[in-house]
């Protein structure tokens, strides 16, 4: 069985190659055992799209801008490995009120930190 391939199509005139490369690295690191690869496709016309085997995951024009990397990882995970835990990414979603979450945690200010240890 072949493994899924992510395709990131980005606009060269908009200079979005570095963003595409960064997403590529994040996805390969997170899904190293799951993905068959990540392909970068230069294009024009303001396009920035992420697809998994032809299924749209993110489209800058449709979804409004660029995804947070945590959101991109969740969307890719839901297609390529639905049962896979994403660790801190899932925990952050739960705190933010995603389905099954408990809402945001209170901010940890100076009073919430333990006393400093010896210097």
């Amino acid at each position: 069985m072949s493994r899924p391939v992510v395709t990131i199509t980005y606009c060269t005139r908009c200079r979005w190659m570095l963003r595409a490369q960064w997403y590529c690295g994040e996805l390969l690191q997170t899904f190293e055992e799951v993905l068959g690869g990540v392909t970068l496709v230069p294009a024009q016309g303001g396009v920035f799209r992420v697809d998994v085997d032809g299924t749209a995951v993110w489209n800058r024009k449709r979804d409004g801008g660029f995804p947070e990397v945590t959101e991109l990882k969740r969307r890719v995970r839901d297609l390529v490995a639905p049962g896979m835990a994403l660790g801190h990414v899932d925990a952050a979603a739960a705190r933010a009120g995603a389905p099954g979450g408990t809402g945001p945690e209170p901010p940890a200010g100076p009073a919430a930190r333990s006393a400093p240890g010896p210097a």
Side-chain angles (χ1 to χ4, degrees):
M1 177 187 264
S2 64
R3 297 190 294 175
V5 174
V6 174
T7 302
I8 301 174
T9 306
Y10 64 94
C11 179
T12 56
R13 289 186 177 171
C14 299
R15 306 278 187 221
W16 290 335
M17 183 179 72
L18 291 177
R19 180 183 302 269
Q21 289 174 319
W22 179 65
Y23 285 135
C24 173
E26 288 288 326
L27 293 173
L28 285 172
Q29 186 171 19
T30 300
F31 302 103
E32 62 189 349
E33 301 293 323
V34 178
L35 292 178
V38 177
T39 303
L40 300 179
V41 179
Q44 295 177 3
V47 65
F48 194 93
R49 247 183 10 250
V50 180
D51 301 288
V52 174
D53 289 341
T55 300
V57 173
W58 189 271
N59 183 323
R60 184 189 71 81
K61 292 179 181 179
R62 178 194 70 202
D63 297 310
F66 299 96
E68 293 290 326
V69 74
T70 54
E71 177 64 18
L72 182 60
K73 288 179 181 183
R74 276 193 300 274
R75 289 184 183 199
V76 169
R77 184 265 320 266
D78 290 348
L79 287 173
V80 303
M84 180 180 176
L86 292 176
H88 71 281
V89 172
D90 287 332
R95 284 192 305 274
T102 58
E105 285 185 357
R113 294 187 196 117
S114 61

mmCIF file of all heavy atoms in Angstrom, residues 19 22-23 48 50 58 64-72:
data_model
loop_
_atom_site.group_PDB
_atom_site.id
_atom_site.type_symbol
_atom_site.label_atom_id
_atom_site.label_comp_id
_atom_site.label_asym_id
_atom_site.label_seq_id
_atom_site.Cartn_x
_atom_site.Cartn_y
_atom_site.Cartn_z
ATOM 1 N N ARG A 19 7.866 29.859 3.237
ATOM 2 C CA ARG A 19 6.722 29.400 4.030
ATOM 3 C C ARG A 19 6.387 27.955 3.650
ATOM 4 O O ARG A 19 6.167 27.104 4.506
ATOM 5 C CB ARG A 19 5.514 30.303 3.795
ATOM 6 C CG ARG A 19 4.288 29.904 4.583
ATOM 7 C CD ARG A 19 3.108 30.799 4.245
ATOM 8 N NE ARG A 19 3.362 32.197 4.489
ATOM 9 C CZ ARG A 19 3.106 32.826 5.635
ATOM 10 N NH1 ARG A 19 2.599 32.171 6.641
ATOM 11 N NH2 ARG A 19 3.355 34.110 5.770
ATOM 12 N N TRP A 22 8.943 25.619 5.112
ATOM 13 C CA TRP A 22 8.779 25.465 6.553
ATOM 14 C C TRP A 22 7.654 24.476 6.858
ATOM 15 O O TRP A 22 7.809 23.552 7.660
ATOM 16 C CB TRP A 22 8.503 26.817 7.213
ATOM 17 C CG TRP A 22 8.298 26.725 8.685
ATOM 18 C CD1 TRP A 22 9.219 26.352 9.630
ATOM 19 C CD2 TRP A 22 7.083 26.988 9.390
ATOM 20 N NE1 TRP A 22 8.645 26.384 10.885
ATOM 21 C CE2 TRP A 22 7.334 26.770 10.764
ATOM 22 C CE3 TRP A 22 5.823 27.406 8.998
ATOM 23 C CZ2 TRP A 22 6.367 26.943 11.737
ATOM 24 C CZ3 TRP A 22 4.857 27.583 9.967
ATOM 25 C CH2 TRP A 22 5.138 27.348 11.322
ATOM 26 N N TYR A 23 6.493 24.643 6.196
ATOM 27 C CA TYR A 23 5.397 23.696 6.363
ATOM 28 C C TYR A 23 5.845 22.285 5.978
ATOM 29 O O TYR A 23 5.506 21.310 6.645
ATOM 30 C CB TYR A 23 4.185 24.091 5.527
ATOM 31 C CG TYR A 23 3.373 25.258 6.036
ATOM 32 C CD1 TYR A 23 2.948 26.255 5.171
ATOM 33 C CD2 TYR A 23 2.999 25.357 7.369
ATOM 34 C CE1 TYR A 23 2.180 27.319 5.612
ATOM 35 C CE2 TYR A 23 2.229 26.415 7.827
ATOM 36 C CZ TYR A 23 1.830 27.396 6.939
ATOM 37 O OH TYR A 23 1.063 28.444 7.391
ATOM 38 N N PHE A 48 -1.789 29.481 -2.750
ATOM 39 C CA PHE A 48 -1.116 28.720 -1.684
ATOM 40 C C PHE A 48 -2.105 27.662 -1.239
ATOM 41 O O PHE A 48 -3.117 27.960 -0.614
ATOM 42 C CB PHE A 48 -0.712 29.597 -0.496
ATOM 43 C CG PHE A 48 0.256 28.867 0.394
ATOM 44 C CD1 PHE A 48 1.616 29.005 0.209
ATOM 45 C CD2 PHE A 48 -0.202 28.015 1.393
ATOM 46 C CE1 PHE A 48 2.517 28.306 0.997
ATOM 47 C CE2 PHE A 48 0.681 27.316 2.187
ATOM 48 C CZ PHE A 48 2.044 27.460 2.000
ATOM 49 N N VAL A 50 -2.577 23.392 0.085
ATOM 50 C CA VAL A 50 -2.017 22.155 0.612
ATOM 51 C C VAL A 50 -3.039 21.064 0.336
ATOM 52 O O VAL A 50 -4.209 21.201 0.708
ATOM 53 C CB VAL A 50 -1.730 22.253 2.127
ATOM 54 C CG1 VAL A 50 -1.150 20.952 2.644
ATOM 55 C CG2 VAL A 50 -0.795 23.421 2.424
ATOM 56 N N TRP A 58 -5.909 22.755 2.731
ATOM 57 C CA TRP A 58 -5.915 24.195 2.982
ATOM 58 C C TRP A 58 -5.797 24.919 1.658
ATOM 59 O O TRP A 58 -5.016 24.530 0.791
ATOM 60 C CB TRP A 58 -4.749 24.602 3.885
ATOM 61 C CG TRP A 58 -4.856 26.034 4.324
ATOM 62 C CD1 TRP A 58 -4.366 27.149 3.680
ATOM 63 C CD2 TRP A 58 -5.518 26.513 5.484
ATOM 64 N NE1 TRP A 58 -4.701 28.278 4.373
ATOM 65 C CE2 TRP A 58 -5.399 27.911 5.493
ATOM 66 C CE3 TRP A 58 -6.210 25.896 6.518
ATOM 67 C CZ2 TRP A 58 -5.937 28.705 6.498
ATOM 68 C CZ3 TRP A 58 -6.739 26.675 7.524
ATOM 69 C CH2 TRP A 58 -6.600 28.065 7.511
ATOM 70 N N GLY A 64 -8.837 31.669 3.935
ATOM 71 C CA GLY A 64 -8.443 32.971 4.475
ATOM 72 C C GLY A 64 -7.036 33.004 5.024
ATOM 73 O O GLY A 64 -6.831 32.782 6.209
ATOM 74 N N GLY A 65 -6.085 33.242 4.176
ATOM 75 C CA GLY A 65 -4.702 33.383 4.622
ATOM 76 C C GLY A 65 -3.988 32.051 4.758
ATOM 77 O O GLY A 65 -4.280 31.099 4.050
ATOM 78 N N PHE A 66 -3.058 32.028 5.688
ATOM 79 C CA PHE A 66 -2.228 30.846 5.892
ATOM 80 C C PHE A 66 -2.612 30.169 7.203
ATOM 81 O O PHE A 66 -2.968 30.834 8.165
ATOM 82 C CB PHE A 66 -0.752 31.243 5.926
ATOM 83 C CG PHE A 66 -0.303 31.873 4.647
ATOM 84 C CD1 PHE A 66 -0.269 33.253 4.526
ATOM 85 C CD2 PHE A 66 0.052 31.097 3.570
ATOM 86 C CE1 PHE A 66 0.127 33.841 3.335
ATOM 87 C CE2 PHE A 66 0.458 31.677 2.377
ATOM 88 C CZ PHE A 66 0.488 33.045 2.259
ATOM 89 N N PRO A 67 -2.477 28.845 7.247
ATOM 90 C CA PRO A 67 -2.860 28.142 8.475
ATOM 91 C C PRO A 67 -1.790 28.250 9.555
ATOM 92 O O PRO A 67 -0.607 28.369 9.252
ATOM 93 C CB PRO A 67 -2.981 26.690 8.014
ATOM 94 C CG PRO A 67 -1.983 26.572 6.909
ATOM 95 C CD PRO A 67 -2.032 27.917 6.209
ATOM 96 N N GLU A 68 -2.240 28.216 10.798
ATOM 97 C CA GLU A 68 -1.296 27.986 11.881
ATOM 98 C C GLU A 68 -0.783 26.568 11.663
ATOM 99 O O GLU A 68 -1.531 25.693 11.214
ATOM 100 C CB GLU A 68 -1.994 28.082 13.241
ATOM 101 C CG GLU A 68 -2.490 29.462 13.587
ATOM 102 C CD GLU A 68 -1.343 30.428 13.868
ATOM 103 O OE1 GLU A 68 -0.307 29.996 14.412
ATOM 104 O OE2 GLU A 68 -1.490 31.604 13.525
ATOM 105 N N VAL A 69 0.465 26.315 11.977
ATOM 106 C CA VAL A 69 1.024 24.984 11.728
ATOM 107 C C VAL A 69 0.266 23.918 12.505
ATOM 108 O O VAL A 69 0.102 22.789 12.018
ATOM 109 C CB VAL A 69 2.548 24.950 11.991
ATOM 110 C CG1 VAL A 69 2.852 24.987 13.483
ATOM 111 C CG2 VAL A 69 3.166 23.728 11.339
ATOM 112 N N THR A 70 -0.237 24.242 13.686
ATOM 113 C CA THR A 70 -1.000 23.259 14.458
ATOM 114 C C THR A 70 -2.291 22.877 13.742
ATOM 115 O O THR A 70 -2.670 21.702 13.719
ATOM 116 C CB THR A 70 -1.317 23.797 15.867
ATOM 117 O OG1 THR A 70 -1.969 25.060 15.753
ATOM 118 C CG2 THR A 70 -0.061 23.950 16.690
ATOM 119 N N GLU A 71 -2.967 23.852 13.141
ATOM 120 C CA GLU A 71 -4.192 23.572 12.399
ATOM 121 C C GLU A 71 -3.882 22.738 11.163
ATOM 122 O O GLU A 71 -4.615 21.799 10.831
ATOM 123 C CB GLU A 71 -4.900 24.866 12.004
ATOM 124 C CG GLU A 71 -6.148 24.665 11.168
ATOM 125 C CD GLU A 71 -7.264 23.913 11.876
ATOM 126 O OE1 GLU A 71 -7.246 23.807 13.123
ATOM 127 O OE2 GLU A 71 -8.163 23.409 11.172
ATOM 128 N N LEU A 72 -2.799 23.056 10.466
ATOM 129 C CA LEU A 72 -2.416 22.288 9.287
ATOM 130 C C LEU A 72 -2.120 20.842 9.673
ATOM 131 O O LEU A 72 -2.570 19.907 9.007
ATOM 132 C CB LEU A 72 -1.205 22.928 8.612
ATOM 133 C CG LEU A 72 -0.732 22.239 7.333
ATOM 134 C CD1 LEU A 72 -1.830 22.238 6.276
ATOM 135 C CD2 LEU A 72 0.524 22.914 6.819
#
